[in-house]
Amino acid sequence: MKESAKLFTPAKIGSMTVKNRVVMAPMATDFADGDGSVSDKLRAYYEARARGGVGLITLEVCSIDSLFPYVPRTLGLWDDSLVPGLKTLTDAVHGNGAKIIPQLAHPGPESLSTIFSGTETVGPSAGIRNGITRMKCRELTIDEIKEILQKFGDAALRARQAGFDGVEFHAAHAYMLAGSFLSALKNRRSDEYGGTVEGRLRFCREAIESIKRAAGNDFPVIMRISADELVPGGRTVRETQYILPRLVASGVDAFHVSAGVYPDTSWRVIPPAGTPLGINTSLSRMIKEATDVPVMVVGRITSPGLAEDILQREEADLVVLGRALLADPEFVNKAREGRDDDIAPCIGCGLGCVTNRELGGDMTCLVNPAVGREEERPEPAAKKKRIMVVGAGPAGLEFSRAAARRGHEVTLYEKDDRPGGQLNLAAVVRSKREILGLIRHQVRQAEKAGVGPLTGVEVTAAMIQEQKPDAVVIATGARTCTPGICGFENCGILCSREVLAGGVDIDSGKVLIIGGGMVGCEVAEFLASPGDSVSETRTEVAIIEMNEGIGLDMFSEARYFMINSLREKGVRLYTGSTVTELFDDGAAIERGGKKIELRGFDYLVNATGAQPANELASSLESYSGEVYTIGDAREPRQALHAIAEAWDLGNKI
């Protein structure tokens, strides 16, 4: 992309000048220290994005009251003692040419205060449930509202003292305190802070005024807002257009446009793979028509070309990138240098940035395992080794790239006719076609490091013994497991991988899928036609799953779409069911204490999980060189873990 592109021109937000029009979205990391202060890990994470060329960084939520933390290791702006640590962060970011603002918020109903301090959560109205604890909040009194408004001002002053260039005020998604006050979905008050549009707007206006009063009128305030809440009874874009001038009059210098509410339409808050790129741009254009202050838009902006197109079409003044900057902190620098093909693609999987955090792990990224480990700088190998890598799936490709860049001589073999491994099967599913971009990126980066996959070559133990490499890395993946179910060996059941690979021709009839995890759901969606096409014969599909829900190993927002798709296609679900026997045309199950026979199926498909395909590793137990097994060949897991494991070994071997 040419440096003259609009994407790389300066932008003005109030008194702040940003060097380009790329803004980093606020994303919770849990990288701060437990007392609300800045950790070395967090500082390195943000410094890497500043070094990568982004114009403005929006810090994750900074809680304004220590009694009401947003996440377990929330960043804090509730006390003067936190200012010096925050100053080290702003200095690091400024030293790399970027501007930085914190996102100020009181979590309100979303606070984890009940868990950490025993303090009851609060909100505009009683009864709003916390999405994690499921506990209901109590209604704030007028006096308590006034105290919170003062805390917004106090926090903004500390932000200025810490060297921040402004603040973002979070009032989107009918979420946290300000968003809950602004939305009729959660604000049921009849006093001056509710009842009418102006009443619901009052908390936000007074919070912004408190910020300006404390930090100064020249201290920019950006407001994150849902242009349209997209649910019945919620705020429409027309109503949002109506309130914009009132917010600007209170001191808003720019709007950060999102859409939807949490959790009802959380797929618009964090759009998963399969949703439209630039998903909020039609709304940001309408917001831009109703205000003279700059408008920023977020939502599935995954490439420099798309970002430039949004600006050229005047759908927004700045573009906000979140997960794209996790996948590649150097996104902006590479775009400016015309190296678009070297940008690591965000595939919208949500597994590292969202799901891993929800499960209690650290925030990371499937595409970029270095997220949260920016302090670790791989060093050149102390001793150059000849390494043979067997398997050019996601783990084999990632290891080869990392090891070769450190100076090792790496040869990569793949028995199939193309690299990518199981990612090729995953990309068969319509909503996951962006995975093809990841395969292309991994192959390109391995080749640039000097490793071209040798396809169509099956490696044997004899071949390894003959070549005598210093190290062998087994990345041969996994195969569909063989469950110990009575009748399995004789029922003619098909393998889910063969179905997705097109090795089995299923045009119509009735299909019973054993296993309702992500793979089973994807096979079901792949096979089930809508049944309303005159040119197609309907394929009827049913899923048996032992858990009480299907797709439980999926990113929650992607699971929402999957379940809706299966319902639309008429897929029958037998959850909470254990298969006790398989027949040629069906299965016997136990469900709710009852035994049921499901018969009359034309095809049975096994999607019960995977087992390592690591026979080669077993045959090398006496090999004199180093032998490592990574990815699914070591233990079947998601690509998130396979790539991270490969990255780790490649940077240490």
Side-chain angles (χ1 to χ4, degrees):
M1 181 176 288
K2 296 179 180 178
E3 286 202 30
S4 59
K6 192 171 183 179
L7 190 65
F8 306 119
T9 60
K12 191 90 169 172
I13 300 174
S15 62
M16 172 175 52
T17 300
V18 183
K19 68 178 180 181
N20 60 47
R21 295 172 185 262
V22 181
V23 180
M24 180 179 177
M27 293 174 285
T29 65
D30 253 354
F31 290 165
D33 284 331
D35 60 357
S37 61
V38 173
S39 66
D40 292 341
K41 181 177 182 177
L42 181 134
R43 188 184 305 106
Y45 163 81
Y46 283 109
E47 187 175 4
R49 273 76 200 165
R51 195 165 53 244
V54 67
L56 172 63
I57 289 175
T58 312
L59 205 58
E60 60 203 82
V61 167
C62 288
S63 302
I64 63 171
D65 190 328
S66 62
L67 292 178
F68 297 96
Y70 175 55
V71 292
R73 293 187 297 276
T74 189
L75 268 175
L77 269 168
W78 57 69
D79 192 84
D80 293 344
S81 64
L82 297 169
V83 170
L86 290 165
K87 184 67 165 60
T88 67
L89 173 60
T90 59
D91 285 346
V93 169
H94 290 154
N96 286 280
K99 298 294 175 67
I100 182 169
I101 61 175
Q103 187 183 71
L104 297 188
H106 186 298
E110 273 68 47
S111 172
L112 297 180
S113 59
T114 306
I115 296 174
F116 289 101
S117 66
T119 306
E120 189 176 11
T121 56
V122 296
S125 304
I128 303 173
R129 285 189 181 275
N130 183 293
I132 297 176
T133 67
R134 305 305 299 159
M135 299 186 72
K136 296 179 180 179
C137 72
R138 67 170 178 82
E139 182 173 297
L140 285 165
T141 67
I142 295 293
D143 287 343
E144 288 173 323
I145 290 173
K146 299 299 183 184
E147 290 176 8
I148 291 172
L149 293 171
Q150 181 61 47
K151 289 181 185 295
F152 271 104
D154 294 342
L157 177 58
R158 293 186 189 104
R160 183 156 201 168
Q161 293 168 341
F164 287 103
D165 301 287
V167 297
E168 177 167 283
F169 176 68
H170 191 324
H173 312 139
Y175 190 62
M176 295 198 279
L177 192 58
S180 297
F181 264 102
L182 189 58
S183 176
L185 296 169
K186 293 185 177 178
N187 186 341
R188 298 183 287 275
R189 301 178 75 101
S190 58
D191 59 14
E192 61 265 41
Y193 287 97
T196 63
V197 173
E198 284 73 15
R200 293 192 295 274
L201 191 59
R202 182 169 180 168
F203 180 88
C204 290
R205 294 191 65 181
E206 290 184 354
I208 294 162
E209 290 163 3
S210 177
I211 290 169
K212 288 287 190 176
R213 219 170 21 248
N217 285 326
D218 62 339
F219 196 57
V221 175
I222 298 170
M223 181 172 177
R224 182 172 169 111
I225 191 168
S226 290
D228 195 314
E229 294 186 326
L230 301 173
V231 294
R235 190 177 63 255
T236 65
V237 66
R238 181 65 190 88
E239 185 179 327
T240 302
Q241 288 178 316
Y242 170 74
I243 66 176
L244 296 181
R246 290 153 179 77
L247 292 165
V248 171
S250 294
V252 172
D253 295 288
F255 290 101
H256 175 181
V257 175
S258 184
V261 297
Y262 187 84
D264 305 66
T265 53
S266 61
W267 62 272
R268 283 300 291 265
V269 180
I270 311 176
T275 52
L277 299 177
I279 194 169
N280 293 319
T281 53
S282 61
L283 293 171
S284 64
R285 180 195 289 117
M286 297 175 73
I287 296 302
K288 192 167 163 52
E289 290 171 355
T291 183
D292 293 328
V293 301
V295 172
M296 302 156 37
V297 67
V298 72
R300 295 275 283 150
I301 303 171
T302 59
S303 70
L306 176 59
E308 179 68 15
D309 187 64
I310 290 167
L311 298 175
Q312 291 292 346
R313 291 174 180 271
E314 298 188 347
E315 294 170 323
D317 300 293
L318 299 98
V319 291
V320 183
L321 278 59
R323 290 169 290 171
L325 292 173
L326 297 182
D328 198 333
E330 293 286 327
F331 182 105
V332 181
N333 285 344
K334 290 177 181 177
R336 191 176 60 249
E337 295 163 5
R339 297 166 52 210
D340 291 23
D341 283 346
D342 286 329
I343 295 175
C346 170
I347 59 173
C349 68
L351 295 175
C353 53
V354 179
T355 303
N356 210 53
R357 283 189 59 251
E358 291 176 344
L359 296 175
D362 286 340
M363 184 178 83
T364 183
C365 175
L366 182 150
V367 176
N368 177 22
V371 170
R373 301 175 67 176
E374 286 79 7
E375 293 177 284
E376 302 177 26
R377 302 289 179 87
E379 299 287 340
K383 178 184 177 183
K384 181 178 178 179
K385 298 177 180 178
R386 287 192 309 112
I387 304 174
M388 178 183 287
V389 182
V390 187
L397 286 165
E398 178 61 25
F399 170 83
S400 299
R401 179 202 64 82
R405 287 184 65 178
R406 294 182 53 240
H408 293 299
E409 180 186 329
V410 180
T411 308
L412 173 61
Y413 296 90
E414 170 56 51
K415 71 174 183 178
D416 291 335
D417 61 356
R418 56 175 173 164
Q422 294 175 57
L423 291 182
N424 290 310
L425 296 181
V428 169
V429 181
R430 285 183 299 174
S431 63
K432 298 172 75 171
R433 297 285 160 79
E434 288 167 75
I435 286 176
L436 295 171
L438 173 58
I439 299 172
R440 179 174 177 270
H441 175 76
Q442 282 197 304
V443 172
R444 177 180 170 83
Q445 296 310 307
E447 290 175 342
K448 289 189 72 171
V451 186
L454 300 174
T455 57
V457 180
E458 184 165 4
V459 175
T460 64
M463 182 177 172
I464 293 170
Q465 293 287 358
E466 180 182 345
Q467 295 192 16
K468 294 183 172 57
D470 299 311
V472 181
V473 176
I474 310 296
T476 45
R479 62 174 64 90
T480 303
C481 71
T482 303
I485 301 174
C486 179
F488 180 86
E489 299 293 341
N490 303 313
C491 67
I493 193 167
L494 303 172
C495 169
S496 59
R497 295 164 193 257
E498 292 174 345
V499 174
L500 288 174
V504 181
D505 190 14
I506 301 177
D507 289 331
S508 60
K510 299 177 68 176
V511 180
L512 181 63
I513 298 173
I514 315 301
M518 177 174 65
V519 174
C521 290
E522 290 175 350
V523 172
E525 186 182 42
F526 176 66
L527 292 176
S529 66
D532 56 4
S533 172
V534 295
S535 62
E536 294 183 23
T537 304
R538 182 180 179 87
T539 301
E540 298 182 35
V541 180
I543 297 175
I544 302 173
E545 168 56 40
M546 63 187 299
N547 291 309
E548 293 298 330
I550 62 167
L552 296 179
D553 53 344
M554 298 178 69
F555 173 38
S556 54
E557 276 67 26
R559 180 173 179 264
Y560 167 88
F561 277 105
M562 177 63 74
I563 290 174
N564 282 350
S565 176
L566 296 180
R567 285 172 177 165
E568 290 172 1
K569 295 174 185 292
V571 174
R572 286 182 288 155
L573 305 176
Y574 296 91
T575 56
S577 302
T578 302
V579 178
T580 57
E581 187 175 359
L582 292 172
F583 314 113
D584 288 341
D585 67 340
I589 64 173
E590 287 188 4
R591 188 187 196 196
K594 297 181 180 179
K595 295 183 178 181
I596 305 170
E597 285 195 2
L598 306 175
R599 307 294 289 251
F601 290 90
D602 302 295
Y603 305 94
L604 275 64
V605 177
N606 176 22
T608 54
Q611 59 191 37
N614 58 3
E615 292 80 6
L616 182 59
S618 301
S619 68
L620 294 173
E621 290 180 357
S622 61
Y623 184 66
S624 59
E626 302 169 32
V627 178
Y628 303 90
T629 304
I630 61 173
D632 283 0
R634 178 170 172 261
E635 180 186 355
R637 292 152 292 167
Q638 293 175 323
L640 170 75
H641 307 107
I643 292 174
E645 186 173 74
W647 179 87
D648 198 50
L649 179 61
N651 286 320
K652 292 179 179 178
I653 192 170

